[in-house]
Amino acid sequence: MGETRGRQAAGWIERLRGLTVPVPRPGQVAVRVAVVTDSAAALPEDWLARFGAGVRVVPMPVMIDGQIYTEGHDDVATALATGLATGAKISTSRPAPGVFARTYRELETAGYAGIVSVHLSSRLSGTVDAARLAAEDIGIDVRVVDSETVGMAQGYAVLAALEAARVGAGVDDVTAAATVEDPGVINFVVPSLDQLRRGGRITLAASVLGTLLAVKPLLTLSDGHIQIREKVRTESRALARLVEISRDEAVARAERTGRPAHIAVHCYGNADRAQEIVHELAAYAAEEVRVVGLPAVLGAHTGAGVVAVVVA
C-alpha cells in the first residue's frame, strides 16, 4: 500500500553483503516478504529458481499487428522475429492493474506479510502506475519501487531485494535494498534506430541523424530516458566503444564501491558478438559475465541485432 519514489542512502550491494540487513535471532519469527517484478528485468529463470515461491515475474504484453502475446505463455519470440522481419506494427503495453492485483492477492493468501514490487523506469512505461493502483486494494503492505532503469540493471535491484528477503529482512529493508542510490549503467548499440523511433523511445531528429548521416549512435539510459551517448560512424566502432566505455565504468565503479562490478551482456540476435564482449569484459566483473537474452518487451523496441552491456 506504500510506495517508493526516492533513493536511499545505502546502496544495494551493502545490503547483499549483510551489513544492514537484520538477520532474525534464534526463535524470532521472520517477516515473510515476497518480491514481484516484470519481465523487463530480463532475469534468467535459473537465477530466480533459487528463491522459490517468494518471487513473481509479471509478464509484459507485446502486440504484433493487433494480436497480443504474453511472454512466458505464448511463442512471442517467434512471432516477434517474424514481425520485425516483415515490418509488422509492433507495440508494447503495461500489464493491467488487475494482473498485479491478482499476483499480490495470491502472495497474501500464501501467507506473505509484505510485498516489494520492483519495476522498469516509469519514464519508459506505465507499469509502475499500474502496480501502484493495484497495491491500493491489497490487505498487506505493498511497496512499489521505480527502478528508474531496465534490463539487468533493473534485475540486479530485484536480486538485491530477494537476497534481503531471503535472510529475513522486513519490508522496509527489502525496499531499501531494491532502491538503488547508484543504479546500474546500461549502454547499447542497435543496427537501426527505426524501431526505437516507432515506439516513441527516441526523437525523430535522432532517428534522422542516424539514417541520413550513416551514424551508429551509442545509446544509454539516463534519468529513465534513452539518450544518445556518442555518435560513431560504423557499427564495428560503436561496439568497440561499447566495450571501452563498459570497461571504464566497471573500473570506476570498483574504485567507488570497493568491490568488482556486476556485468551482464544483453542481445537480441548478434549472439556471437555478445559472446566476444563477454570475454573482453570478464576480467572486470565480480562473477562470471553472462549473455542474457533481451526479453520480447525490450526487443520489440530495439529491433534485432542489439547488443547492450549492464554494469552495476
Side-chain angles (χ1 to χ4, degrees):
M1 292 173 285
E3 62 182 56
T4 297
R5 293 193 177 100
R7 294 296 182 195
Q8 300 290 331
W12 65 268
I13 189 61
E14 285 75 21
R15 297 183 181 277
L16 269 177
R17 289 173 170 170
L19 300 182
T20 56
V21 175
V23 178
R25 296 184 298 274
Q28 179 183 3
V29 178
V31 176
R32 296 182 69 210
V33 178
V35 177
V36 175
T37 189
D38 54 70
S39 53
L43 284 162
E45 290 183 9
D46 57 319
W47 286 15
L48 292 174
R50 66 180 185 268
F51 297 101
V55 57
R56 299 290 180 88
V57 179
V58 174
M60 298 190 66
V62 176
M63 285 160 282
I64 304 171
D65 276 344
Q67 183 171 349
I68 298 176
Y69 293 83
T70 303
E71 199 150 24
H73 298 276
D74 302 311
D75 189 8
V76 63
T78 299
L80 179 60
T82 301
L84 289 170
T86 58
K89 183 179 180 180
I90 299 172
S91 61
T92 61
S93 175
R94 71 179 191 179
V99 175
F100 282 111
R102 184 166 59 250
T103 301
Y104 296 156
R105 289 194 181 103
E106 288 173 355
L107 292 167
E108 180 182 9
T109 300
Y112 288 93
I115 299 168
V116 176
S117 204
V118 186
H119 300 291
L120 79 160
S121 171
S122 60
R123 295 179 180 178
L124 295 176
S125 167
T127 301
V128 165
D129 291 335
R132 285 174 178 155
L133 284 172
E136 292 175 358
D137 297 324
I138 306 302
I140 59 175
D141 193 358
V142 180
R143 311 286 180 89
V144 178
V145 176
D146 180 353
S147 73
E148 300 182 7
T149 188
V150 73
M152 275 298 298
Q154 171 191 348
Y156 283 122
V158 175
L159 289 175
L162 287 167
E163 292 289 358
R166 181 159 63 175
V167 300
V171 176
D172 287 342
D173 285 306
V174 176
T175 302
T179 308
V180 188
E181 180 186 15
D182 187 9
V185 177
I186 179 167
N187 297 297
F188 58 104
V189 175
V190 294
S192 170
L193 295 173
D194 287 347
Q195 200 64 26
L196 284 167
R197 178 186 57 78
R198 289 172 188 160
R201 266 54 186 186
I202 61 169
T203 65
L204 175 61
S207 178
V208 169
L209 170 74
T211 302
L212 296 183
L213 301 182
V215 170
K216 296 296 182 183
L218 179 62
L219 304 171
T220 191
L221 192 70
S222 179
D223 294 326
H225 293 289
I226 295 173
Q227 300 180 15
I228 294 178
R229 177 164 182 163
E230 291 185 11
K231 301 167 188 175
V232 186
R233 280 292 181 183
T234 66
E235 185 175 351
S236 61
R237 181 56 184 156
L239 289 169
R241 282 294 294 149
L242 177 63
V243 172
E244 293 169 4
I245 288 171
S246 300
R247 183 183 61 230
D248 292 346
E249 287 177 342
V251 170
R253 184 169 288 261
E255 292 175 349
R256 189 165 63 249
T257 64
R259 52 90 184 171
H262 297 274
I263 300 175
V265 179
H266 286 305
C267 69
Y268 185 75
N270 216 353
D272 291 343
R273 183 62 182 119
Q275 194 60 54
E276 291 173 7
I277 291 175
V278 164
H279 295 311
E280 292 178 86
L281 295 177
Y284 301 92
E287 67 282 295
E288 179 185 1
V289 180
R290 179 167 174 172
V291 174
V292 180
L294 214 58
V297 68
L298 302 183
H301 291 291
T302 63
V306 60
V307 177
V309 178
V310 173
V311 179

